[in-house]
Amino acid sequence: MPQPVKLILDMCAAPGGKSIFAWKTLNPELLLCKEVIGKHMGMLISNLKRCQIQPSVATNVDSKIFAEKMPQTANLVIVDAACTGQSLLAKGDKAPGGFHPVTINSNANRQKIILANSAKIVARPGYLAYMTCTYSTAENEQVSEWLLSKFPEFQPVTVPHLAKHRSRLTAIPCYRMWPQDKLGTGVFTVLFQNTSNGERNQLLPDLLDLARFMYL
């Protein structure tokens, strides 16, 4: 990421692993961690404190509010979206309903809402990283294609070190790590960049003031 990283927003943050990795790798001036499931907040905050991730803010504010109040501010928005969790099968767990068309469609629609709000938050020329732990094309490649159709200012980014994992189910450069790759139970990921012209909005001083009151 060539420009200084002012702000990273992890849109589906709990338990915090991706947030912590992003903070340690990119060293942002502020890390915002959103988790909509209230019972997961304690685990997220505990992990951020344990790893001394500062300054950081944990919140359960809806993604729509972020999109309205802080458009085009984040250098990186991470969306590890809630999904059908079909990869749980590779762990030996059950995935009840995970392959039912109604469940898949419901999750895909929710993912589109989260991604649409997230896209509005990405600064120019910032990045949007999308990932799931499901095998469903409707939640992965098709959601990615939908994002590009709705937000043409975003373009997919080729990730060279994932080249051998590139999905053959779409022309978009996105990536699937299957259980047989021995890289986990199954992961899908794609990286987008906001290629529109213009400057990022400058909300960071206000957000840093907020962080002083919500310091972790």
Side-chain angles (χ1 to χ4, degrees):
M1 193 171 290
Q3 72 273 24
V5 180
K6 302 288 187 179
L7 175 64
I8 294 175
L9 170 57
D10 190 347
M11 190 62 78
C12 310
K18 294 175 301 301
S19 298
I20 293 167
F21 179 80
W23 186 88
K24 288 186 175 292
T25 303
L26 299 175
N27 192 27
E29 292 187 26
L30 178 63
L31 172 67
L32 283 178
C33 303
K34 185 196 83 71
E35 176 54 52
V36 71
I37 301 176
K39 65 181 181 180
H40 293 169
M41 287 292 291
M43 181 187 345
L44 171 62
I45 293 171
S46 176
N47 285 330
L48 293 172
K49 285 183 175 180
R50 177 176 56 84
C51 295
Q52 300 180 7
I53 307 302
Q54 301 172 347
S56 60
V57 174
T59 178
N60 60 359
V61 171
D62 188 87
S63 62
K64 181 179 180 181
I65 296 176
F66 276 122
E68 292 173 350
K69 301 296 184 182
M70 45 183 289
Q72 299 178 359
T73 54
N75 298 98
L76 171 65
V77 178
I78 303 169
V79 180
D80 183 12
C83 63
T84 50
Q86 295 171 355
S87 67
L88 291 174
L89 293 174
K91 294 175 60 179
D93 296 342
K94 296 180 180 179
F99 291 85
H100 195 285
V102 172
T103 306
I104 292 172
N105 185 62
S106 175
N107 277 275
N109 288 336
R110 176 173 55 186
Q111 290 153 3
K112 290 175 182 177
I113 292 171
I114 296 172
L115 274 177
N117 289 329
S118 298
K120 296 173 184 176
I121 302 166
V122 177
R124 298 169 290 193
Y127 294 86
L128 172 60
Y130 177 62
M131 58 205 74
T132 74
C133 60
T134 190
Y135 307 132
S136 167
T137 305
E139 298 176 74
N140 294 333
E141 288 86 357
Q142 291 178 21
V143 167
S144 301
E145 291 167 351
W146 175 89
L147 177 74
L148 294 177
S149 70
K150 295 297 182 180
F151 296 89
E153 68 272 25
F154 280 83
Q155 293 297 318
V157 178
T158 299
V159 183
H161 74 273
L162 293 178
K164 68 178 182 179
H165 303 292
R166 181 164 174 166
S167 172
R168 300 179 181 180
L169 302 176
T170 180
I172 297 172
C174 53
Y175 307 91
R176 285 178 174 263
M177 278 63 80
W178 298 96
Q180 59 266 32
D181 296 327
K182 298 181 180 179
L183 294 173
T185 58
V187 174
F188 171 87
T189 189
V190 59
L191 181 65
F192 302 101
Q193 184 177 24
N194 185 347
T195 62
S196 59
N197 296 323
E199 299 294 328
R200 68 188 296 272
N201 286 337
Q202 301 297 321
L203 293 181
L204 190 61
D206 293 336
L207 291 171
L208 285 170
D209 287 339
L210 172 64
R212 293 189 183 98
F213 292 100
M214 303 179 66
Y215 205 67
L216 296 175

